[in-house]
Amino acid sequence: MKFLTGEMETTTKEIAEILAGGLDGEEVKVNGCIHKIRKMGEVAFIILRKREGLVQAVYEEGAANVTLKELAEEAAVEITGIVKSEERAPNGFEIRIHKIRILSRPSAPMPIAVNKWKMNTSLETKLDFRPLSLRNIRERAKFRIQEGVTRGFREYLRGCGFTEIHTPKIGARGAEGGANLFRLEYFHRHAVLAQSPQFYKQMMVGVFDRVFEVAPVFRAEKHNTKRHLNEYTSLDFEMGYIESFEDIMQMETGFLQYTMALLEREYQQELKLLDVSLPKTDKIPQVRFDRAKQLAAEKYHREIRNPYDLEPEEEVLISRYFKEEMDADFVFVTHYPSKKRPFYAMDAPDDEKFTLSFDLLFQGLEITTGGQRIHDYAMLEEKLQQRGMTQEGMEQYMLVFKHGMPPHGGLGIGLERLTMKLLGEDNVRETTLFPRDLGRLEP
Amino acid sequence: MKFLTGEMETTTKEIAEILAGGLDGEEVKVNGCIHKIRKMGEVAFIILRKREGLVQAVYEEGAANVTLKELAEEAAVEITGIVKSEERAPNGFEIRIHKIRILSRPSAPMPIAVNKWKMNTSLETKLDFRPLSLRNIRERAKFRIQEGVTRGFREYLRGCGFTEIHTPKIGARGAEGGANLFRLEYFHRHAVLAQSPQFYKQMMVGVFDRVFEVAPVFRAEKHNTKRHLNEYTSLDFEMGYIESFEDIMQMETGFLQYTMALLEREYQQELKLLDVSLPKTDKIPQVRFDRAKQLAAEKYHREIRNPYDLEPEEEVLISRYFKEEMDADFVFVTHYPSKKRPFYAMDAPDDEKFTLSFDLLFQGLEITTGGQRIHDYAMLEEKLQQRGMTQEGMEQYMLVFKHGMPPHGGLGIGLERLTMKLLGEDNVRETTLFPRDLGRLEP
């Protein structure tokens, strides 16, 4: 009888193991994908692509068991050879090839040049060949940064006593209602895809006090802009026992600070590849919605057309204002008008036309919407009535409030948007692995 | 101008802070939900429910600013009082109440008794009142354990060089094909919900070598069993450059070992609440499919009816065999017949009727399906042809192989099923936050 013990028997070395040292002059085995073959007369440089980065291997005619003709870019190989320090090589070493074992061969040359530093193709082409274009090391680095953001979110919140939850994406109705719901048939019943985990995370505040979720959300919006997608990853949290809605913004600020430090510490290689400087998060200004509009209007001589909403151009101007006046990359805009917020938003006690809610703008773009929610059953019933809404289909949601809920609030962050702004990209598709939009259901 | 600095100003203490000591005899503020009021003549015990556990507070007539009548179970409160060591209280201390601030009140008494040790209701009732029944501390503890499993999966794999990815759940076609797809309309096109991230995680092996995803999957199966759901959370990984399909099982064994140690270390309180003993994972037997059938048939005098499939009862018997013979809670059953595995499964080189694939059985139930995949383009084309399948709609998937892929394989683990077996539950709905099945679209 054979047993699995969890111990992997590997004969190959990873880059980190070679960098850890002591292997100069030693023979090693390294596997990877042939990213590039550069012929230089008698010798050739064979650049391997590994998950950690690139490895330079040196091929000499006659010194290896295969001819150069047998090798192709994008073949998977295992190379045996001697490690030699070499300043000009990636990671400071190269491997003098003795032997190459071919693990797998491509059937055709690549339709796009993924081994160039910058891919010289349009976004459309990159997306058409997404599984291939991501093999470019700068393209893939974006999604390592994205992983870092998700890690930062989870690690920071867990440290603050939050519990991670998984809530259903198929449901009987949406949290926000309205027209932007994807509908499906569920065993002869009508169902919809979740626009947000809003109702569920609120329900779970009554259970765990503080919860978070990282999961897809679905919006059937007919937008075709650079910042909208029909499916994206939402970083959501909800926290109970808040003393003020500012607690939610403090929590988000803490998350941003933690995450920037994490990226700085563990994702340095990717930041360098993408030439990214991380934004400052030590203190983030907070400004009321109406005041923000006014400041931008005055400074940039722009007429306020609609006092109850923020146009995309105004978001840009408000961000510009705070960048110019106090060198701030982020700004919390608070007290959005009630009529622009969902029924569950808590109105400001001193002026019911406004809510205890906020958006976080990051260099001109909204990346978060959040706020305090109504926790009192009678208040919630009254709000629904005022809006002419029915409780039908919301019985379970209402039940939670009927039986007691602490003061609470939370927020949702668009992961791909936040990544886009961090990396200085101008289209959210650049930082979405496989985007879904009006035109794209594949790959 | 106000600024957010990430520093939360809290005046209240959490249980861990009080346990850290030095507060005996001191006045503290603690918030929480009134889980239970126990009247004992002149005094009353007010048990607070907090995310970390229960806190006992002692109310004396006249010593506090509110009367007992003003308090209700499930009210959210902030209690000010003196900490006193008390062996018989949860966590070894109680709080002598000076002052109670009521943060929120319920509008009606609870329809189910969540403050009992065991909830004396049927699963149906618990699910009908799910957002409330989860307030029971043993009910909620299940989902803390579930969080621990997810953490274990991510932490272990990240340590092994895997990158976390987020792949789309809406697509043009499913990875497995067939009848169990939920269909939806996507801007006047037909779309489906992902049955698994299979195609995407394979594509991403060409990019990052090793990837994982924790995300919902959707299966429109008309099963109505204790172990099937129509939406569940799948723990998926896929790894390149494997030397054998056993590498995948080693990786899973390593994950299980890491996770049991994590639960033991950081989720001790929940394990005790639920009276759970963790299974042994130090070495997991591995047995061929045909041999496993034979062993179970011989020992338990059961006729083999279908040599190409494993019936649920056989899974139970095989597990029983390995428990009895070698005290094993887990067993890897390998080499499933080709005709029962998807087209992308790699056939065994010595016998094409079988595949380099496996299921992991945990005390009688399949919790994982995995295996090596075909990485060679020509082999994949041939397999599709053999099966009479068309490449239509799979162009993007095929493209990845055409342009080179390393040998690779992976697996998917049903999170709720694994949690269910860990906790000794017999219905997967017990360990699903908000289950979706033939009858349940809400809550």
Side-chain angles (χ1 to χ4, degrees):
Chain A
M1 184 67 50
K2 282 171 84 175
F3 291 92
L4 281 308
T5 59
E7 275 158 50
M8 201 79 66
E9 286 162 35
T10 42
T11 55
T12 54
K13 297 269 180 246
E14 299 305 320
I15 294 174
E17 294 172 284
I18 293 172
L19 289 179
L23 289 172
D24 202 27
E26 300 284 316
E27 187 177 89
V28 296
K29 272 192 206 170
V30 173
N31 59 30
C33 172
I34 299 184
H35 192 55
K36 195 178 227 165
I37 300 176
R38 219 160 2 122
K39 293 174 191 160
M40 318 273 284
E42 297 282 284
V43 301
F45 290 109
I46 293 174
I47 312 296
L48 285 193
R49 185 178 69 235
K50 293 177 69 63
R51 58 176 184 264
E52 309 160 274
L54 300 177
V55 171
Q56 177 169 305
V58 187
Y59 174 94
E60 264 185 284
E61 205 70 63
N65 61 317
V66 294
T67 64
L68 216 44
K69 272 188 196 158
E70 295 174 73
L71 301 176
E73 287 176 351
E74 296 300 318
V77 295
E78 180 189 277
I79 285 178
T80 306
I82 304 290
V83 178
K84 287 279 180 201
S85 293
E86 171 52 61
E87 268 183 23
R88 289 161 299 179
N91 297 304
F93 70 87
E94 63 184 18
I95 294 172
R96 308 278 169 86
I97 302 172
H98 286 170
K99 204 172 127 194
I100 298 181
R101 184 160 74 97
I102 296 170
L103 305 173
S104 149
R105 288 176 209 274
S107 293
M110 286 285 262
I112 47 172
V114 299
N115 56 15
K116 292 274 194 308
W117 174 246
K118 276 196 185 177
M119 292 202 51
N120 228 344
T121 48
S122 66
L123 175 59
E124 279 306 294
T125 305
K126 282 200 294 188
L127 294 180
D128 286 345
F129 291 103
R130 195 58 157 171
L132 301 181
S133 60
L134 287 167
R135 295 183 184 182
N136 175 271
I137 57 162
R138 295 181 81 250
E139 288 297 320
R140 76 176 186 179
K142 296 176 188 174
F143 297 93
R144 291 280 305 161
I145 298 289
Q146 189 162 84
E147 176 196 73
V149 172
T150 315
R151 264 184 77 186
F153 186 73
R154 292 203 197 96
E155 289 179 10
Y156 182 72
L157 292 180
R158 191 178 307 118
C160 295
F162 284 73
T163 296
E164 179 170 15
I165 56 173
H166 302 283
T167 69
K169 303 310 157 203
I170 300 180
R173 55 162 286 146
E176 323 274 334
N180 66 346
L181 285 162
F182 285 112
R183 289 162 205 287
L184 69 154
E185 206 187 311
Y186 186 87
F187 306 116
H188 309 295
R189 294 161 71 183
H190 294 296
V192 299
L193 291 182
Q195 297 157 307
S196 98
Q198 185 62 35
F199 285 6
Y200 292 101
K201 61 181 185 162
Q202 285 187 265
M203 290 174 181
M204 293 308 293
V205 162
V207 175
F208 285 125
D209 300 354
R210 294 179 164 192
V211 295
F212 73 90
E213 180 166 16
V214 175
V217 296
F218 308 91
R219 310 234 166 154
E221 284 164 351
K222 288 188 181 155
H223 287 137
N224 201 357
T225 78
K226 290 181 171 184
R227 59 211 183 105
H228 286 94
L229 289 173
N230 297 103
E231 175 178 351
Y232 67 88
T233 306
S234 185
L235 309 177
D236 269 277
F237 77 65
E238 199 75 15
M239 57 192 281
Y241 298 97
I242 56 174
E243 296 183 13
S244 127
F245 85 114
E246 291 181 9
D247 289 357
I248 308 157
M249 295 188 282
Q250 292 288 22
M251 194 59 77
E252 181 165 24
T253 304
F255 146 65
L256 288 170
Q257 291 167 348
Y258 179 91
T259 302
M260 297 312 132
L262 176 69
L263 292 176
E264 194 72 41
R265 198 171 64 238
E266 296 193 31
Y267 295 81
Q268 198 52 247
Q269 188 182 330
E270 287 80 9
L271 293 174
K272 271 188 198 146
L273 270 175
L274 297 169
D275 195 21
V276 167
S277 310
L278 294 173
K280 282 189 302 181
T281 50
D282 53 326
K283 51 179 201 164
I284 300 182
Q286 155 185 1
V287 60
R288 280 183 65 109
F289 175 87
D290 42 14
R291 179 83 182 123
K293 278 181 93 79
Q294 194 190 357
L295 288 171
E298 281 170 8
K299 180 157 185 184
Y300 305 109
H301 313 293
R302 190 180 182 285
E303 202 187 335
I304 293 173
R305 286 187 295 198
N306 180 351
Y308 295 109
D309 209 356
L310 221 53
E311 297 170 58
E313 199 193 322
E314 278 179 299
E315 291 183 350
V316 171
L317 291 180
I318 291 168
S319 277
R320 187 175 147 197
Y321 179 93
F322 284 92
K323 184 68 186 172
E324 288 176 358
E325 297 292 322
M326 44 191 77
D327 195 24
D329 292 305
F330 293 92
V331 53
F332 281 107
V333 178
T334 67
H335 295 87
Y336 275 68
S338 300
K339 59 166 71 172
K340 283 288 161 185
R341 292 302 215 199
F343 71 90
Y344 52 75
M346 178 74 95
D347 289 334
D350 52 342
D351 185 349
E352 291 188 3
K353 287 197 301 296
F354 297 96
T355 53
L356 299 178
S357 73
F358 63 89
D359 274 12
L360 177 61
L361 307 185
F362 179 15
Q363 292 166 1
L365 184 68
E366 176 257 302
I367 57 157
T368 298
T369 294
Q372 183 164 350
R373 329 295 188 183
I374 297 173
H375 59 272
D376 182 77
Y377 184 62
M379 196 187 282
L380 199 56
E381 281 198 308
E382 199 189 312
K383 192 62 168 278
L384 285 171
Q385 209 170 20
Q386 274 175 19
R387 296 216 172 179
M389 291 172 70
T390 163
Q391 291 186 30
E392 205 192 310
M394 292 213 293
E395 294 82 0
Q396 290 277 351
Y397 180 69
M398 294 306 289
L399 200 65
V400 173
F401 299 92
K402 191 176 191 172
H403 298 293
M405 276 285 278
H408 67 282
L411 54 76
I413 303 171
L415 173 62
E416 294 83 354
R417 271 199 190 185
L418 173 52
T419 316
M420 159 190 165
K421 294 304 291 185
L422 274 177
L423 302 185
E425 293 289 349
D426 81 331
N427 193 318
V428 69
R429 289 160 188 78
E430 292 280 2
T431 51
T432 306
L433 214 45
F434 297 99
R436 291 294 176 258
D437 60 24
L438 282 176
R440 244 174 229 290
L441 254 179
E442 293 179 280
Chain B
M1 185 67 50
K2 283 170 85 174
F3 292 92
L4 281 307
T5 58
E7 275 158 50
M8 203 79 65
E9 286 162 35
T10 42
T11 55
T12 54
K13 297 269 180 245
E14 299 306 319
I15 295 174
E17 293 172 285
I18 293 172
L19 289 178
L23 288 172
D24 202 27
E26 300 284 317
E27 186 177 270
V28 296
K29 271 192 206 171
V30 173
N31 59 29
C33 172
I34 299 184
H35 193 55
K36 195 178 227 165
I37 300 177
R38 223 164 354 126
K39 292 174 192 160
M40 317 274 283
E42 295 282 284
V43 302
F45 290 109
I46 293 174
I47 311 296
L48 284 194
R49 186 178 70 234
K50 293 177 67 64
R51 59 177 183 262
E52 308 161 274
L54 301 177
V55 171
Q56 176 168 305
V58 187
Y59 174 94
E60 264 185 284
E61 204 70 62
N65 60 319
V66 295
T67 64
L68 216 44
K69 273 187 195 159
E70 294 173 73
L71 301 176
E73 287 177 352
E74 297 300 318
V77 296
E78 180 189 277
I79 284 178
T80 307
I82 303 289
V83 178
K84 288 279 179 200
S85 293
E86 170 51 61
E87 268 182 23
R88 290 161 299 178
N91 297 306
F93 71 86
E94 63 183 20
I95 294 172
R96 308 278 169 84
I97 301 173
H98 286 171
K99 204 172 127 192
I100 299 182
R101 186 161 72 98
I102 297 171
L103 304 172
S104 148
R105 287 176 210 272
S107 293
M110 285 286 261
I112 47 172
V114 300
N115 56 15
K116 292 275 195 306
W117 174 247
K118 275 196 185 176
M119 293 203 49
N120 227 344
T121 48
S122 67
L123 175 58
E124 278 305 294
T125 306
K126 282 199 293 189
L127 294 180
D128 286 344
F129 291 103
R130 195 57 157 172
L132 300 180
S133 61
L134 288 167
R135 294 183 185 183
N136 174 271
I137 58 161
R138 294 180 82 250
E139 288 296 320
R140 76 177 187 179
K142 297 176 188 174
F143 297 94
R144 291 280 304 161
I145 299 289
Q146 189 161 85
E147 176 197 73
V149 173
T150 315
R151 263 183 77 185
F153 186 74
R154 292 203 196 95
E155 289 178 11
Y156 182 71
L157 293 181
R158 191 178 307 118
C160 295
F162 284 74
T163 296
E164 179 171 16
I165 56 173
H166 303 283
T167 69
K169 303 309 156 202
I170 301 180
R173 55 163 285 146
E176 322 274 335
N180 66 347
L181 285 163
F182 285 113
R183 289 162 204 287
L184 71 153
E185 206 186 311
Y186 186 87
F187 306 117
H188 309 295
R189 294 162 71 182
H190 294 298
V192 299
L193 291 182
Q195 296 157 308
S196 99
Q198 185 61 36
F199 286 5
Y200 292 102
K201 62 180 184 163
Q202 285 187 265
M203 290 174 181
M204 293 308 293
V205 161
V207 176
F208 286 125
D209 300 354
R210 294 179 165 193
V211 294
F212 72 89
E213 180 165 18
V214 176
V217 295
F218 309 91
R219 310 232 165 156
E221 284 164 351
K222 287 187 181 157
H223 288 136
N224 201 358
T225 79
K226 290 181 172 186
R227 60 210 182 105
H228 285 95
L229 289 173
N230 298 104
E231 175 177 352
Y232 67 88
T233 306
S234 185
L235 309 177
D236 269 277
F237 76 65
E238 199 75 17
M239 57 192 280
Y241 299 97
I242 56 174
E243 296 183 13
S244 128
F245 85 113
E246 290 182 8
D247 289 356
I248 307 157
M249 295 188 281
Q250 292 288 21
M251 193 60 76
E252 181 165 25
T253 304
F255 146 65
L256 288 170
Q257 291 168 348
Y258 179 91
T259 302
M260 296 312 133
L262 176 69
L263 292 175
E264 195 72 42
R265 199 172 63 238
E266 296 193 32
Y267 295 82
Q268 199 51 246
Q269 187 182 330
E270 287 79 11
L271 293 174
K272 272 189 197 146
L273 271 174
L274 297 168
D275 195 22
V276 167
S277 309
L278 295 173
K280 282 188 301 180
T281 51
D282 53 326
K283 52 179 200 164
I284 301 181
Q286 156 186 359
V287 60
R288 280 182 66 109
F289 174 87
D290 42 13
R291 178 85 182 122
K293 277 181 95 78
Q294 195 190 358
L295 287 171
E298 282 169 7
K299 179 157 184 183
Y300 305 109
H301 313 293
R302 191 181 183 284
E303 202 188 334
I304 293 173
R305 287 188 295 198
N306 180 351
Y308 295 110
D309 208 355
L310 221 51
E311 296 171 57
E313 199 193 322
E314 279 179 299
E315 291 184 351
V316 171
L317 291 180
I318 292 169
S319 277
R320 187 174 147 198
Y321 178 92
F322 285 91
K323 184 67 186 171
E324 289 175 359
E325 298 292 322
M326 45 191 77
D327 195 24
D329 293 305
F330 293 91
V331 52
F332 281 107
V333 179
T334 67
H335 296 86
Y336 276 68
S338 300
K339 58 166 72 172
K340 282 289 161 185
R341 291 303 215 200
F343 70 91
Y344 51 76
M346 178 74 94
D347 290 334
D350 51 342
D351 186 349
E352 290 190 4
K353 288 197 301 297
F354 297 96
T355 53
L356 298 176
S357 73
F358 63 88
D359 274 12
L360 177 62
L361 306 186
F362 179 14
Q363 292 167 1
L365 184 67
E366 174 258 303
I367 57 158
T368 298
T369 295
Q372 182 164 350
R373 330 294 188 183
I374 297 174
H375 60 271
D376 182 77
Y377 183 64
M379 196 187 281
L380 199 56
E381 281 198 309
E382 198 188 313
K383 192 62 169 280
L384 286 170
Q385 209 170 20
Q386 275 174 19
R387 297 216 171 180
M389 290 172 70
T390 162
Q391 291 187 30
E392 204 193 311
M394 292 212 291
E395 294 82 1
Q396 289 278 349
Y397 180 68
M398 295 305 289
L399 200 65
V400 172
F401 299 93
K402 191 175 191 171
H403 298 293
M405 276 285 277
H408 67 282
L411 55 75
I413 303 170
L415 173 63
E416 295 83 354
R417 271 198 189 184
L418 173 52
T419 316
M420 158 191 167
K421 293 305 290 184
L422 274 177
L423 302 185
E425 294 288 351
D426 80 331
N427 192 317
V428 69
R429 288 159 188 79
E430 292 280 0
T431 50
T432 306
L433 213 45
F434 297 98
R436 291 294 176 258
D437 60 24
L438 281 176
R440 244 173 229 291
L441 253 179
E442 294 180 278

